[in-house]
Amino acid sequence: MREVIGFYKERTEIIVDTFSSLGFKVYGGKNAPYVWDHFPGRSSWDVFGEILEKTHVVTTPGSGFGPAVDGFIRVSAFGHRNNILEACKRFKQLYK
């Protein structure tokens, strides 16, 4: 079981490191394989649409969890490591 948890923690760290390196405030990822990225002044649906259209990566708009997290997107670490790496590469290209 620890091995499986380790897989998800590593993938979560990749996502956290990616968005942190791009200057975004990042929350979560410590006790769950979900990372919350803050896009101040922007609608989470607008950010979701931009990411989907320009990178073909599916995230989750924060506003789906209530008005307090509008302006955030949630990125999941559930996925194959290579897919996480590719998604993060695309995030870096979009937000460099």
Side-chain angles (χ1 to χ4, degrees), residues 2-33:
R2 289 185 195 270
E3 186 178 349
V4 172
I5 292 170
F7 288 141
Y8 292 116
K9 282 189 169 190
E10 185 226 0
R11 292 170 188 157
T12 302
E13 288 173 12
I14 292 168
I15 297 166
V16 168
D17 291 347
T18 295
F19 280 96
S20 294
S21 75
L22 293 167
F24 291 97
K25 293 259 185 182
V26 179
Y27 302 89
K30 301 274 189 246
N31 298 308

Side-chain angles (χ1 to χ4, degrees), residues 49-64:
E50 175 181 70
I51 290 172
L52 183 61
E53 181 181 319
K54 295 181 179 177
T55 68
H56 301 144
V57 174
V58 176
T59 60
T60 305
S63 60

